[in-house]
């Protein structure tokens, strides 16, 4: 696709997205607030994905596919929240799968060539899985990893800022209603000691959820993502918000060491272990 064609297509899809979300902006102030949070998140993930694609020199088509995937990756969140009043997939619905169904049903990606439609749908379908499914074509796997990194970058932007505010308990939807009690759950501690991602099934309080997010650095793929985590001090903000966690300094020393190493060397982390959603 030519540059002007790409620019026009992205603008049209953004217009569709904003119009679609407008249909969900009614209800209580809390309901509308959470819809807007997801709308703004989607717009920022589109931007982060575009920046990441540019850092990889993917060219106009690659940049457009990254931006479109980021823009539409959470389309299912709005219907999910309207139905269930939660963003927790395991007690409601797989928002990525629902999003793909909506995009197909409404034929949103019809302007794209078929091979690009398939790539975007598969990228969105896999963004919240434990791992991108085996057997994905190389270009689809690349975009799946771009989206996973871009999604994490902005989720932590939202959550690190949220944890830093004194009214951090004001929106239980963002933290899935987890209580802000001291300490960490045994299974979360075990995951931290093993230096891998935290299994969401073991969470029982807000500290656990914060550590799950801090450990996303074990699932980043590209130098751009490591650098954003470092310059925005996500780990430091999470650490400063913990409620009485023993040995927190030692835990974060390991995480920060990995972050610095990856941001400086440009090495890529392993993609595909548990991803919270």
């Amino acid at each position: 696709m030519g540059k002007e064609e790409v620019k026009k297509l992205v603008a049209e899809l953004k217009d569709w997205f904003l119009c679609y979300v407008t249909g969900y902006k009614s209800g209580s102030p809390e309901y509308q607030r959470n819809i807007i949070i997801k709308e703004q998140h989607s717009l920022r993930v589109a931007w982060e994905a575009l920046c990441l694609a540019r850092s990889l020199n993917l060219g106009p088509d690659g940049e457009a596919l990254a931006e479109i995937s980021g823009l539409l990756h959470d389309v299912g969140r709005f219907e999910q929240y309207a139905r269930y009043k939660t963003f927790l997939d395991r007690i409601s619905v797989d928002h990525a799968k629902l999003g793909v169904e909506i995009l197909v049903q409404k034929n949103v990606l019809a302007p794209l060539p078929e091979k690009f439609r398939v790539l975007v749908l598969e990228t969105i379908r896999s963004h919240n899985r434990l791992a991108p499914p085996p057997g994905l074509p190389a270009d689809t796997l690349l975009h799946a990893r771009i989206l996973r990194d871009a999604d994490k970058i902005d989720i932590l932007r939202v959550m690190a800022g949220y944890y830093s505010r004194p009214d951090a308990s004001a929106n239980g939807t963002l933290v899935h209603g987890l209580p802000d009690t001291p300490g960490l759950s045994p299974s979360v501690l075990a995951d931290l000691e093993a230096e891998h991602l935290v299994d969401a099934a073991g969470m029982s309080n807000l500290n656990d959820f914060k550590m799950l997010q801090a450990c996303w650095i074990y699932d980043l793929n590209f130098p751009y993502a490591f650098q954003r985590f470092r310059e925005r001090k996500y780990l430091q903000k999470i650490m400063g918000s913990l409620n009485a966690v023993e040995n927190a300094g030692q835990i974060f020393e390991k995480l920060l060491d990995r972050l610095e190493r990856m941001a400086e060397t440009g090495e890529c982390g392993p993609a595909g272990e548990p991803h919270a959603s």
Side-chain angles (χ1 to χ4, degrees), residues 30-216:
E30 180 183 2
Y31 174 87
Q32 292 187 59
R33 174 176 60 167
N34 286 318
I35 291 295
I36 291 169
I37 284 172
K38 286 301 180 184
E39 176 188 46
Q40 293 176 345
H41 166 68
S42 297
L43 294 170
R44 286 190 300 265
V45 171
W47 171 251
E48 295 290 359
L50 173 61
C51 292
L52 209 163
R54 286 174 176 167
S55 79
L56 298 172
N57 299 310
L58 295 189
D61 285 357
E63 291 176 8
L65 292 171
E67 187 174 8
I68 291 166
S69 298
L71 176 69
L72 301 177
H73 81 288
D74 268 356
V75 159
R77 285 295 196 193
F78 306 101
E79 183 63 23
Q80 176 191 43
Y81 193 62
R83 291 183 195 175
Y84 303 101
K85 304 302 185 291
T86 183
F87 293 128
L88 192 58
D89 285 12
R90 67 175 180 268
I91 63 171
S92 58
V93 65
D94 181 334
H95 77 277
K97 181 180 178 182
L98 178 59
V100 168
E101 291 171 358
I102 290 168
L103 294 172
V104 171
Q105 181 184 45
K106 296 183 178 296
N107 210 21
V108 176
L109 299 177
L112 286 173
E114 181 180 1
K115 66 177 182 178
F116 290 164
R117 287 200 303 271
V118 172
L119 183 151
V120 170
L121 291 173
E122 286 303 314
T123 296
I124 292 171
R125 194 193 315 273
S126 66
H127 84 270
N128 67 329
R129 294 188 181 185
L130 298 185
L136 286 181
D139 55 350
T140 305
L141 180 59
L142 172 64
H143 280 278
R145 288 174 168 167
I146 289 172
L147 177 55
R148 290 167 72 91
D149 276 18
D151 196 21
K152 290 179 177 68
I153 290 168
D154 192 65
I155 290 173
L156 263 293
R157 187 202 66 80
V158 172
M159 298 309 299
Y162 180 73
Y163 299 145
S164 299
R165 295 197 301 270
D167 63 341
S169 62
N171 190 348
T173 299
L174 284 183
V175 295
H176 308 307
L178 291 165
D180 189 12
T181 52
L184 293 169
S185 299
S187 66
V188 171
L189 273 172
D191 288 336
L192 290 168
E193 289 172 359
E195 298 185 28
H196 59 62
L197 295 179
V198 169
D199 186 346
M203 295 190 309
S204 63
N205 69 9
L206 186 53
N207 282 337
D208 293 339
F209 187 49
K210 291 174 180 179
M211 294 311 306
L212 179 147
Q213 292 171 334
C215 286
W216 280 350

Side-chain angles (χ1 to χ4, degrees), residues 18 20-28 31-32 35-36 39 78:
L18 293 172
Y20 177 77
V21 176
T22 297
Y24 288 90
K25 290 181 178 178
S26 62
S28 69
Y31 174 87
Q32 292 187 59
I35 291 295
I36 291 169
E39 176 188 46
F78 306 101

